């Protein structure tokens, strides 16, 4: 697929932006010219002429003692400073954070005991003696990286001279990384968190420039070769030159968004660095705050803003590097210039060229207004192309529970926050409240369940909100889009496409959620299905090889006992229902099963319904086997997509895999109201925006019913044969012959 908006983890776009800007920053900071002094004087003069940003800027100094960067054997230097940035910025970028685990990962540096580390050091010395001096070249590189800053003094701050030192630091860090990776191939690796020859890189300090709204404008990383090498003391000695250079580049080339500009005022998050910058910042025509920043941010409730930087669809350069403009005909795809536009226009084969897709993409863009037609009070904000999701969540106190699954920020190693990919719901339901994980930091935002069941079928968010007692200012639709989409399929779409199934009158339903991912992390939201369908006992089986392996074959049942919910664990390895058949239909229960494997490898009874959320058939090879499996089962299978483009691509994949197709996509009335960020295009993307179902290829040589159309009538003779009655006295041919014998 050409576009991965809506499928790719937002954190990966964030990381790609950071590494892309940092790569450019290191290259320009360390560039050796004929006159470094003259170059910096010109840059300072240019910054003084920049327009002034009325927003306050902040320079954050973030120390790190607990998280390291581990490079795997598959890591490559890439275009970044030795951190494998090619995996983030290439033509085939990863879609999920877990896809980077073979190459780069974050590890805890606090796992090992001091005694164990001393033993590891002794073992290192012995191995060095045995292997000789050929493996000792890492230490000098690390010393060379740290030496320039250790020689500097706060009284001798000289930004032009820092350029040469920065080049040495950047080059030394990259060489050190390459040598570490080369040694990883020849030497046995140690475990994470222990100081050894394969110890993770230590990001000792991070300098971050933001505005008062949380938009990131620049970043500098101070990386040690390994944990514990070098000594920074309090962590802020001799940072003034690096901080000054970072401020200059952040003003001349802001990472987040907007044109080059300088702040009206700057505040610094470290007292010592604040004093050292007092004589430097005024040279840029910027006023430094009288006192350093004493809290996390310059304003109450400060949080990082959602990134707005865009990229060229062809060369992947960011908007801080080049000026991006959309295609003049469809206004859907962003390019950095005529060269990239023509290259995309003339691609081969023709069905992947922009010339082929341009009129189709133009039609997709025209539906942006229809997709944004939602009844909520915050609709205008959350459907904007510049929607700041992080600020929206933070301003409403939606920073815990399931709301963390929507945030770009992720918990670090050893964090006590909600672990993704596990099943914390059972331990958090001690109070019997299935909506506990849906609450924010403020008062309860999910009202009690209405005493009377719904009298009719809901076909819009407004109808559901009215019956459920929710205010149109409530953002619960963002989480409830998953159970409400299942409800809409059961009550509206299946009766329309498969009326003979009579699904609305069934007392129990077995539903497979295929290639489950984020929806499994939000598993408790599906309790709302029992509120909407009180007469149905539901079994949801989440299937997919992206599920946590430790959750495989897990099974538990949620039952409604008056105003509370009771949780019963099923057998850890058995797939048998944990509730007896006598309870079916008499008590409202929701059974949850997990199968961490591709759908075509799943064994078990045939489901009543199959559902997939934001599937992206063309992004995963297992669909080429799972779709034929669904073809053989011939069960109703409905899927959602975040755009019409995804629906078209899914139809092509279905045709290749099975010879079948997909139905015409319908706009989902229960789509998420949050517009998804798109880096290289301007098309509207919303979670669960469209719904379609699979159209199976008619079975050959069998009486099986092709889905979803009605079975063709069986051929009948034009004149039915007339039945004749045997007269008395006539003998059957076979019987008479036997009697004669």
């Amino acid at each position: 697929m050409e576009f991965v908006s809506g499928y790719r983890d937002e954190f990966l776009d964030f990381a790609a932006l950071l590494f892309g800007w940092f790569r450019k920053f290191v290259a320009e900071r360390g560039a050796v010219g004929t006159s470094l002094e003259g170059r910096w004087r010109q840059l300072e003069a240019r910054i003084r002429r920049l327009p002034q940003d009325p927003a306050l800027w902040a320079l954050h100094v973030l120390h790190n003692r607990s998280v390291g960067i581990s490079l795997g054997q598959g890591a490559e230097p890439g275009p970044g400073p030795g951190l494998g940035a090619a995996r983030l910025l290439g033509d085939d970028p990863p879609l999920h954070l877990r896809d980077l685990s073979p190459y780069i990962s974050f590890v805890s540096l606090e796992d090992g005991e001091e005694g164990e580390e001393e033993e590891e050091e002794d073992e290192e010395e012995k191995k060095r003696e045995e292997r000789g001096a050929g493996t000792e070249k890492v230490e000098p590189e690390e010393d060379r990286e740290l030496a320039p800053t250790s020689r500097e003094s706060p009284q001798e701050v000289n930004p032009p001279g820092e350029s040469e030192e920065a080049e040495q630091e950047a080059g030394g860090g990259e060489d050190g990384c390459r040598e570490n990776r080369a040694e990883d191939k020849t030497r046995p690796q140690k475990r994470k968190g222990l100081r050894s020859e394969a110890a993770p890189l230590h990001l000792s300090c991070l300098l971050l420039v933001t505005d008062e709204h949380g938009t990131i404008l620049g970043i500098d990383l101070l990386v040690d070769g390994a944990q514990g090498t070098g000594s920074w003391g309090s962590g802020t000695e001799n940072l003034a030159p690096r901080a000054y250079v970072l401020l200059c580049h952040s003003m001349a080339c802001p990472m987040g968004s907007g044109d080059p500009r300088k702040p009206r005022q700057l505040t610094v998050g470290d007292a010592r660095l604040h004093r050292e910058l007092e004589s430097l910042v005024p040279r840029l025509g910027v006023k430094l705050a009288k006192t350093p920043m004493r809290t996390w941010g310059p304003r109450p409730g400060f949080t990082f803003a959602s990134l707005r930087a865009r990229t060229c669809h062809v060369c992947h350069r960011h908007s801080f590097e080049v000026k991006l403009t959309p295609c003049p005909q469809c206004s859907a795809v962003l390019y950095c210039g005529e060269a990239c536009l023509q290259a995309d226009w003339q691609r081969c084969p023709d069905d992947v060229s922009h010339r082929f897709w341009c009129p189709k993409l133009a039609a997709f863009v025209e539906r942006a207004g229809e997709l944004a037609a939602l009844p909520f009070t915050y609709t205008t904000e959350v459907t904007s192309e510049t929607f700041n999701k992080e600020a929206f969540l933070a301003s409403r106190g939606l920073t815990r529970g399931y709301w963390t699954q929507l945030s770009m920020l992720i918990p670090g190693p050893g964090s006590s926050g909600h672990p993704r990919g596990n099943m914390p719901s059972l331990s958090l339901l001690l109070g019997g409240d299935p909506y506990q994980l849906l609450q924010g930091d403020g008062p309860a935002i999910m009202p009690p369940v209405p005493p009377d069941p719904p009298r009719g079928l809901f076909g819009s968010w407004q109808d559901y909100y009215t019956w459920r007692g929710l205010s149109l200012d409530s953002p619960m639709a963002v989480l409830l889009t998953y159970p409400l989409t299942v409800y809409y399929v059961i009550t509206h779409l299946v009766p329309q496409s498969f009326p003979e199934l009579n699904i609305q009158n069934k007392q129990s339903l077995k539903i497979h959620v295929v290639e489950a991912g984020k929806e499994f992390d939000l598993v408790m939201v599906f309790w709302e299905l029992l509120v909407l369908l009180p007469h149905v006992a539901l079994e949801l089986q989440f299937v997919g090889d992206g599920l946590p392996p430790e959750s495989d074959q897990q099974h538990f049942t949620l039952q409604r006992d008056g105003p509370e919910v009771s949780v019963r664990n099923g057998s850890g390895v058995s797939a048998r229902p944990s509730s007896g058949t006598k309870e079916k239909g008499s008590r409202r229960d929701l059974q949850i099963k997990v199968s961490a494997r591709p759908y075509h490898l799943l064994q078990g009874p045939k489901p009543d319904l199959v559902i997939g959320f934001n599937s992206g058939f063309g992004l995963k090879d297992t669909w080429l086997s799972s779709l034929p499996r669904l073809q053989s089962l011939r069960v109703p299978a409905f899927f959602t997509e975040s755009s019409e483009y995804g629906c078209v691509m899914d139809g092509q994949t279905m045709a290749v895999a099975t010879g079948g197709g997909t139905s015409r996509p319908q706009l989902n009335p229960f789509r998420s109201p949050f517009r998804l960020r798109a880096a290289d295009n301007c098309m509207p993307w919303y979670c669960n925006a469209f719904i379609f179902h699979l159209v199976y290829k008619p079975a050959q040589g069998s009486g099986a019913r092709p889905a979803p159309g009605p079975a063709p009538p069986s051929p009948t003779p034009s004149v039915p044969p007339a039945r004749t009655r045997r007269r008395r006295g006539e003998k059957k041919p076979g019987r008479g012959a036997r009697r004669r014998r």
Side-chain angles (χ1 to χ4, degrees), residues 221-233:
L221 309 175
L222 281 69
V223 180
D224 297 345
Q227 179 187 1
T229 59
S231 174
W232 289 92

Side-chain angles (χ1 to χ4, degrees), residues 514-531:
V514 295
E515 293 299 335
K518 182 182 295 185
E519 54 274 11
F520 173 68
D521 294 334
L522 307 174
V523 63
M524 289 307 300
V525 301
F526 289 95
W527 173 256
E528 191 69 8
L529 282 172
L530 293 187
V531 177

